[in-house]
Amino acid sequence: MVGQDFTDILLPEIKNYKTIRSFKEEPVDDNIINSILEAGRRAPSAKNRQPWRFVYIKDQGVKDRLQAAAYGQEHIGEASFVVAIGTTNVDYKMPNGQLSYPIDLSFAASFMIMQATSTGVGSCVVTTYNEAEVNEILTVPYKMRIVMLISFGYPKDEQPERLLERKPLNTITSQKHW
Ligand SMILES: Cc1cc2nc3c(=O)[nH]c(=O)nc-3n(C[C@H](O)[C@H](O)[C@H](O)COP(=O)(O)O)c2cc1C
């Protein structure tokens, strides 16, 4: 169609996604929290093993301790809630020889942040934290790991306008050969 750009048909949640690092005090309703956790539950995983555990935290004291374990990132304490995405299996390898858990858990995280975005809830994926401290705070069992934290909340009004640049599509795609 004349004048139509393929980006017109992108999901708005994808087209407009940006990380949110400052949140309003307004709490996110439990129904919405549950919908975000449910989105993670519905994510695909290798052999449908679903090797995950989603620990959600609304408690201010625990959020503050997680913030300290994440080297003081203030959006963690400010968030309405935080989800720690953990793996229940650190050993399983897929037929390609690669570990499945970082991939499986990333799909769950993607589903969650898209569901959040569609309900107006902002998010920030966090991997900059001291894992041993997070394990202690959340009483993570031996051999299980928290792969990321995600802070969630309603974005404060003053957010950076600009979406961060992505590499142009033609520099990251190729047809038939690498
Ligand atoms: C695996 C991963 C780890 C990240 N860790 C952090 C983090 O520890 N702290 C933080 O503020 N942002 C973190 N981010 C957010 C990225 O910095 C952000 O997605 C990236 O700069 C692009 O910006 P945008 O999401 O606004 O487009 C992380 C994102 C991903 C996917």
Side-chain angles (χ1 to χ4, degrees), residues 34-54 83 85-86 100-115 148 150:
N34 284 333
S35 77
I36 291 167
L37 296 168
E38 174 68 10
R41 187 184 77 85
R42 287 172 184 254
S45 58
K47 293 240 172 82
N48 197 26
R49 293 165 65 93
Q50 305 160 65
W52 44 50
R53 183 146 188 107
F54 310 137
V83 177
I85 300 193
S100 78
Y101 78 85
I103 299 169
D104 294 331
L105 272 53
S106 298
F107 273 102
S110 300
F111 274 43
M112 285 188 198
I113 64 177
M114 287 299 108
Q115 173 66 21
M148 72 190 92
I150 311 181

Side-chain angles (χ1 to χ4, degrees), residues 17-19 21 73 75 124-128 164 166:
Y17 184 79
K18 64 180 172 192
T19 294
R21 295 189 181 83
Q73 295 183 66
H75 59 89
C124 181
V125 173
V126 178
T127 56
T128 307
L164 285 189
R166 298 293 194 251

Side-chain angles (χ1 to χ4, degrees), residues 152-170:
F152 290 98
Y154 290 110
K156 268 194 187 148
D157 296 332
E158 64 281 6
Q159 294 292 330
E161 281 295 312
R162 200 171 59 83
L163 295 180
L164 285 189
E165 291 278 325
R166 298 293 194 251
K167 295 176 182 174
L169 192 58
N170 64 2

Side-chain angles (χ1 to χ4, degrees), residues 49-169:
R49 293 165 65 93
Q50 305 160 65
W52 44 50
R53 183 146 188 107
F54 310 137
V55 184
Y56 66 97
I57 303 108
K58 297 198 284 183
D59 182 275
Q60 191 60 50
V62 179
K63 284 187 292 182
D64 288 344
R65 291 180 69 199
L66 290 174
Q67 175 174 316
Y71 309 103
Q73 295 183 66
E74 288 177 6
H75 59 89
I76 296 179
E78 214 175 78
S80 171
F81 68 103
V82 174
V83 177
I85 300 193
T87 179
T88 54
N89 185 312
V90 292
D91 299 317
Y92 178 67
K93 286 190 176 157
M94 303 173 290
N96 65 6
Q98 298 178 18
L99 282 170
S100 78
Y101 78 85
I103 299 169
D104 294 331
L105 272 53
S106 298
F107 273 102
S110 300
F111 274 43
M112 285 188 198
I113 64 177
M114 287 299 108
Q115 173 66 21
T117 306
S118 78
T119 59
V121 173
S123 57
C124 181
V125 173
V126 178
T127 56
T128 307
Y129 56 78
N130 180 308
E131 187 180 1
E133 284 179 33
V134 168
N135 287 352
E136 197 186 320
I137 296 164
L138 302 178
T139 57
V140 176
Y142 176 66
K143 278 202 93 175
M144 317 245 154
R145 305 190 78 174
I146 300 297
V147 170
M148 72 190 92
L149 306 172
I150 311 181
S151 56
F152 290 98
Y154 290 110
K156 268 194 187 148
D157 296 332
E158 64 281 6
Q159 294 292 330
E161 281 295 312
R162 200 171 59 83
L163 295 180
L164 285 189
E165 291 278 325
R166 298 293 194 251
K167 295 176 182 174
L169 192 58

